[in-house]
């Protein structure tokens, strides 16, 4: 209860500061009243959905939208808070100076009025995140981007020079609310005509039933060498309550079976080979392995027991912290690791080839895109779906296409 009181007090403080910017410029009582009506409705919806949250049911779309609307109004108000508080850094010392130098001559009106141009600047700046978040909720979550890379390896088998793979990750089917947009994305995947398709975990938020309506959408994905997948932290059903351990176990078994029906070869600490004549690629898939309280069911040694040290290896591992903590130090040398998990936090700024930033960087060393260390590559997919916040701002849903090339990269 205390945390809700603290949250509400902070929200009110932010609201009062934001209101000052609006009130400085607007005198219409209907507009000012609408401000408070929207503010109360948003915070009421959020508290109503999250206070006494039912862990057995898990997060619903209603919860996501309640959170989304809170973010939509709160972030611009925080911008207003920063600007208006910055003005108070000047106003308050001026008021104190007048109090001690003018005394009663100031007639009690010590605090200078807020300046119109400061409020205009504040509202103008705040409009940028407001518009971005509205777009992110309305369009951004289905704004699929195909990102293409060519990666060079001197020891790539000749038969696989030019081999093309598509990676998707973090479908989170329980969050979707537009079947046609998902169908569009699946068609976009097939248009890449890759040799193989990889999915790197989190196909649901919590329960297998979330995926059922989309079975006949995802089973349309096609690649000549097949579809391969691994489990992510959300696939185990750890974030909701179950009536029994048996029910939780059955949910996971149902999920495995449903993935098979879709056409995925689910790798559970296992390996497979893709062959071209006498040459081969080794595919290794581990269960989820993550730091910071996430499940560590992945067993790299077990998954690799049937492959040779000199095989060319592609590893599927949901959480990129696995690559940093375990994979790149392993003496087996995993040429390419494919991960997801971070979503790029669904918020950030990216100018391809120039600039990339997201709050995700404060949590994850490797949070989006291609990385290379110790002669090994990692791709962190930004995710196909979305979770909790029903949108994406600047970090768009991703379909990764990687072409494997033999030889050294020409950097000239």
């Amino acid at each position: 209860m205390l945390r809700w009181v603290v949250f509400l007090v902070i929200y009110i403080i932010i609201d009062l500061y934001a209101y000052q910017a609006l009130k400085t410029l607007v005198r219409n009582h209907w507009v000012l009243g609408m401000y408070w009506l929207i503010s109360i409705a948003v915070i009421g919806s959020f508290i109503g959905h999250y206070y006494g949250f039912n862990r057995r049911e898990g997060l619903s779309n209603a919860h996501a939208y309640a959170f989304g609307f809170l973010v939509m109004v709160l972030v611009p108000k925080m911008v207003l808070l920063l600007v208006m508080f910055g003005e108070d850094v000047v106003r308050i010392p001026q008021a104190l100076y007048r109090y001690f130098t003018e005394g009663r001559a100031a007639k009690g009106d010590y605090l200078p009025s807020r300046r119109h141009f400061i409020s205009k600047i504040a509202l103008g700046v705040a409009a940028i995140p407001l518009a971005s978040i509205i777009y992110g909720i309305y369009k951004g979550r289905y704004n699929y981007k195909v990102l293409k890379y060519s990666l060079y390896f001197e020891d790539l088998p000749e038969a696989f020079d030019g081999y093309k793979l598509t990676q998707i990750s973090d479908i989170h089917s329980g969050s979707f609310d537009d079947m046609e947009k998902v169908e569009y994305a699946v068609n976009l995947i097939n248009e890449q005509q890759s040799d193989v398709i990889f999915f790197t975990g989190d196909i649901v938020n919590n329960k297998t039933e979330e995926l059922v309506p989309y079975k006949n959408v995802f089973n349309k994905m096609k690649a000549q060498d097949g579809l391969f997948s691994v489990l992510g932290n959300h696939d185990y059903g750890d974030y909701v309550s179950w009536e029994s351990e048996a029910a939780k176990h059955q949910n996971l078994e149902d999920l495995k079976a449903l993935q098979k029906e879709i056409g995925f070869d689910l790798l559970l600490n296992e390996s497979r080979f893709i062959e071209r004549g006498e040459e081969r690629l080794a595919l290794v898939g581990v269960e989820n392995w993550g730091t910071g309280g996430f499940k560590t069911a992945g067993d790299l040694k077990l998954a690799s027991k049937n492959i040779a040290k000199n095989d060319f290896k592609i590893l599927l591992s949901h959480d990129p912290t696995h690559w940093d903590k375990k994979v790149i130090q392993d003496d087996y040398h995993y040429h390419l690791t494919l991960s997801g998990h971070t979503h790029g936090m669904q918020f950030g700024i990216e100018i391809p080839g120039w600039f990339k930033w997201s709050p995700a960087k404060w949590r994850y060393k490797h949070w989006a895109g291609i990385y290379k260390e110790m002669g090994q590559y990692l791709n962190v997919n930004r995710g196909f779906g979305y979770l909790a916040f029903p949108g994406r701002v600047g970090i768009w849903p991703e379909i990764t296409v990687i072409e494997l090339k033999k030889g050294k990269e020409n950097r000239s």
Side-chain angles (χ1 to χ4, degrees):
M1 182 65 182
L2 178 60
R3 62 180 178 177
W4 286 106
V5 172
V6 172
F7 170 76
L8 193 57
V9 169
I10 293 173
Y11 184 86
I12 291 171
I13 291 171
I14 294 172
D15 233 344
L16 289 172
Y17 259 100
Y19 179 70
Q20 290 297 313
L22 185 64
K23 187 179 179 182
T24 301
L25 299 176
V26 177
R27 300 300 180 190
N28 188 300
H29 294 298
W30 287 103
V31 174
L32 297 175
M34 186 62 67
Y35 172 92
W36 287 113
L37 182 63
I38 293 173
S39 187
I40 292 169
V42 168
I43 192 64
S45 174
F46 178 76
I47 293 175
H49 279 92
Y50 283 88
Y51 185 74
F53 170 68
N54 187 341
R55 278 186 56 86
R56 179 165 292 186
E57 296 299 325
L59 289 173
S60 65
N61 280 342
H63 286 92
Y65 277 105
F67 178 64
F69 290 139
L70 179 70
V71 171
M72 185 174 69
V73 300
L74 191 57
V75 172
K77 287 178 181 180
M78 290 175 69
V79 173
L80 292 173
L81 167 69
L82 291 175
V83 177
M84 305 311 288
F85 182 77
E87 185 183 21
D88 279 350
V89 170
V90 176
R91 292 172 73 226
I92 292 173
Q94 287 179 339
L96 292 173
Y97 176 79
R98 292 188 66 191
Y99 175 80
F100 287 109
T101 59
E102 299 180 24
R104 293 182 180 180
K107 298 180 180 179
D109 188 15
Y110 306 109
L111 192 64
S113 299
R114 291 197 179 276
R115 288 167 289 183
H116 279 65
F117 83 93
I118 294 292
S119 294
K120 286 180 180 179
I121 291 172
L123 289 169
V125 173
I128 297 173
L130 176 61
S132 299
I133 293 168
I134 291 173
Y135 177 85
I137 293 174
Y138 182 62
K139 289 284 190 181
R141 55 191 169 144
Y142 295 120
N143 186 22
Y144 295 98
K145 300 296 183 183
V146 178
L147 302 185
K148 297 184 178 183
Y149 306 96
S150 293
L151 301 182
Y152 290 79
F153 304 88
E154 293 185 65
D155 57 347
L156 178 71
E158 289 279 359
F160 292 92
D161 187 17
Y163 193 79
K164 192 162 69 169
L165 62 91
T166 288
Q167 179 200 1
I168 58 174
S169 191
D170 299 86
I171 288 174
H172 289 287
S173 52
S175 297
F176 292 138
D177 58 7
D178 193 325
M179 184 75 73
E180 289 186 3
K181 292 291 178 29
V182 180
E183 290 174 344
Y184 162 79
V186 168
N187 290 334
L188 198 57
I189 291 168
N190 287 334
E191 285 175 12
Q192 308 314 309
Q193 298 183 328
S194 290
D195 297 290
V196 65
I197 295 173
F198 296 124
F199 171 66
T200 47
D202 279 2
I203 202 165
V204 296
N205 293 343
N206 296 295
K207 298 180 178 180
T208 300
E209 63 190 42
E210 301 165 15
L211 181 59
V212 173
Y214 296 93
K215 170 188 170 183
N216 291 328
V217 176
F218 289 116
N219 67 8
K220 291 182 172 61
M221 292 189 295
K222 303 296 178 186
Q224 65 173 351
D225 289 330
L227 286 66
F228 298 87
S229 66
V230 292
L231 296 176
N233 55 296
H234 278 267
D235 295 322
Y236 296 91
D238 287 341
Y239 304 122
V240 292
S241 298
W242 299 89
E243 60 186 25
S244 66
E245 280 299 315
K248 181 180 179 182
H249 174 77
Q250 187 58 53
N251 177 75
L252 181 57
E253 294 304 308
D254 291 343
L255 184 64
K256 294 175 183 178
L258 188 52
Q259 286 210 33
K260 184 176 181 180
E261 289 180 40
I262 288 172
F264 285 115
D265 184 353
L266 179 61
L267 304 180
L268 301 167
N269 293 325
E270 300 173 279
S271 62
R272 303 284 189 270
F273 292 105
I274 296 176
E275 298 180 342
R276 294 283 189 274
E278 296 183 357
E279 295 183 311
R280 68 185 189 180
L281 297 180
L283 308 181
V284 182
V286 296
E287 294 196 50
N288 192 78
W289 192 103
T291 59
F294 293 109
K295 184 178 287 290
T296 56
D299 189 329
L300 188 60
K301 294 299 184 184
L302 176 62
S304 302
K305 69 177 183 179
N306 293 325
I307 67 174
K309 188 174 183 179
N310 63 349
D311 278 322
F312 188 95
K313 308 169 197 69
I314 299 176
L315 171 65
L316 311 184
S317 181
H318 177 69
D319 192 320
T321 58
H322 189 212
W323 188 71
D324 183 51
K325 301 296 184 182
K326 296 286 185 179
V327 175
I328 55 176
Q329 291 91 5
D330 195 280
D331 61 1
Y332 253 40
H333 189 88
Y334 293 85
H335 298 76
L336 173 62
T337 298
L338 303 176
S339 298
H341 181 61
T342 72
H343 300 205
M345 208 167 279
Q346 297 170 212
F347 177 85
I349 302 170
E350 287 197 80
I351 304 174
W354 290 90
F355 182 76
K356 180 174 70 175
W357 177 87
S358 165
K361 68 178 294 181
W362 299 329
R363 172 66 176 82
Y364 295 98
K365 180 180 178 181
H366 309 101
W367 58 271
I370 297 287
Y371 302 88
K372 185 179 181 181
E373 291 186 24
M374 299 174 65
Q376 300 166 81
Y377 286 98
L378 166 70
N379 182 61
V380 183
N381 183 283
R382 293 161 180 80
F384 184 93
Y386 51 92
L387 180 69
F389 175 66
R392 284 177 173 267
V393 180
I395 304 292
W396 312 120
E398 175 181 346
I399 298 166
T400 311
V401 178
I402 297 175
E403 184 179 18
L404 306 180
K405 302 291 290 184
K406 185 173 180 62
K408 291 184 178 180
E409 183 177 3
N410 183 3
R411 296 183 178 273
S412 61

